[in-house]
Structures are given as structure tokens and as C-alpha cells.
């Protein structure tokens, strides 16, 4: 059993629950639902307004924005900025323009299969096979 210290309450717990102990996971889920419901009813809210109304830390709300669990209708209200260009964003880590730019860079970096050229894939290894050892045989 792997044991860790809960990032919220500081208690030790079994790591099968993730970053938080079972009690904090439950509280975390309740806070998330409260924030999500509040944003549904108050679409133009700022992060500060949401944090105060839902009694949830802005640190937790920022975490959900970065993980794209929540999205603000008004990017300026989120209080979050693109990690590349600094433009206000409503969710995630990057604005749409920077996401597209990163996607294009990745596309160019991945080699394309060109018709008529030699295959660059590795040949399959047909000699290695999965074997079981029978420990009951002496």
C-alpha cells in the first residue's frame, strides 16, 4: 500500500484516491458542483465573485480552469492568462491562437508518410514470443 500526505488537510492516506484523502475528495467534489452550478446561473461572474459566493479558494478555481473542468463565459472574468502570449483566457492554459500555433508546430514535427518512399517503420520482431514458466514441473 502506497501512502501519501493529503494536499488539502495534511492527513496520511492510501494513494489509490489520488492527490487527496477520501474525505477531501468528497469535499472537493461538492465544491466543484457548487462552483459549476453557480457559474451556470451567473454566467458573467468573475473568479473573485465565484470564490466568495461558493466559499471556494481562488487557487482551487484556478486549478479547475487550467484542467478545463470549468470555463468562464467572460475570459477577462476568469483572471487567467495564456501561458504563451499573456492574453486573457476562459479555460485551459493557452488561448485559441496559441493552441493552433502549437498544433501546427507539432504537425510539422511529425514525419509524414510519403507515397513512393521507403517505409520508415521498424520491422516486426517475430522471434520473441510470450512464454510461461510452469513452476509445478520439477
Amino acid at each position: 500500500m502506497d501512502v501519501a500526505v493529503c494536499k488539502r488537510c495534511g492527513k496520511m492516506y492510501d494513494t489509490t484516491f489520488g492527490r487527496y484523502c477520501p474525505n477531501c475528495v468528497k469535499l472537493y467534489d461538492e465544491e466543484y458542483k457548487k462552483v459549476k452550478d453557480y457559474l451556470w446561473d451567473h454566467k458573467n461572474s468573475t473568479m473573485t465573485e465565484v470564490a466568495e459566493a461558493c466559499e471556494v479558494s481562488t487557487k482551487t478555481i484556478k486549478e479547475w480552469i487550467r484542467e478545463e473542468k470549468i470555463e468562464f463565459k467572460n475570459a477577462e472574468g476568469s483572471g487567467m492568462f495564456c501561458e504563451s502570449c499573456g492574453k486573457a483566457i476562459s479555460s485551459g492554459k493557452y488561448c485559441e491562437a496559441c493552441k493552433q500555433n502549437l498544433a501546427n508546430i507539432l504537425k510539422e514535427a511529425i514525419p509524414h508518410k510519403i507515397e513512393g518512399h521507403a517505409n520508415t517503420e521498424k520491422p516486426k520482431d517475430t522471434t520473441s514470443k510470450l512464454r510461461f514458466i510452469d513452476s509445478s514441473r520439477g
Side-chain angles (χ1 to χ4, degrees):
M1 176 170 92
D2 290 331
V3 180
V5 176
C6 179
K7 293 187 179 208
R8 286 185 70 151
C9 69
K11 293 180 182 176
M12 294 187 73
Y13 70 101
D14 179 2
T15 58
T16 56
F17 293 102
R19 296 183 300 191
Y20 306 114
C21 70
N23 291 335
C24 289
V25 167
K26 183 179 176 187
L27 291 172
Y28 188 84
D29 290 344
E30 289 170 2
E31 288 176 344
Y32 175 69
K33 183 178 179 353
K34 190 188 293 187
V35 167
K36 194 171 153 187
D37 290 345
Y38 185 85
L39 283 171
W40 183 259
D41 295 333
H42 304 89
K43 293 182 181 4
N44 291 317
S45 299
T46 65
M47 184 184 346
T48 307
E49 291 169 347
V50 174
E52 289 173 4
C54 298
E55 298 176 348
V56 175
S57 73
T58 55
K59 181 182 175 184
T60 301
I61 294 172
K62 286 179 182 181
E63 184 180 309
W64 291 331
I65 293 169
R66 289 283 183 226
E67 294 172 353
E68 297 184 349
K69 288 183 176 181
I70 60 172
E71 182 175 354
F72 280 77
K73 182 178 180 183
N74 177 6
E76 287 76 25
S78 75
M80 302 296 287
F81 302 93
C82 176
E83 289 184 3
S84 182
C85 71
K87 180 180 174 184
I89 56 173
S90 58
S91 187
K93 293 182 180 187
Y94 302 101
C95 68
E96 290 304 315
C98 289
K99 281 183 192 177
Q100 187 60 49
N101 187 35
L102 288 170
N104 290 339
I105 290 169
L106 286 173
K107 233 185 250 183
E108 290 173 10
I110 298 171
H112 299 283
K113 289 184 180 179
I114 301 173
E115 199 172 310
H117 287 323
N119 191 353
T120 58
E121 292 181 21
K122 287 184 177 180
K124 292 183 180 178
D125 181 9
T126 57
T127 59
S128 65
K129 295 183 180 175
L130 182 62
R131 296 179 180 89
F132 294 94
I133 300 172
D134 187 359
S135 61
S136 64
R137 294 167 72 181

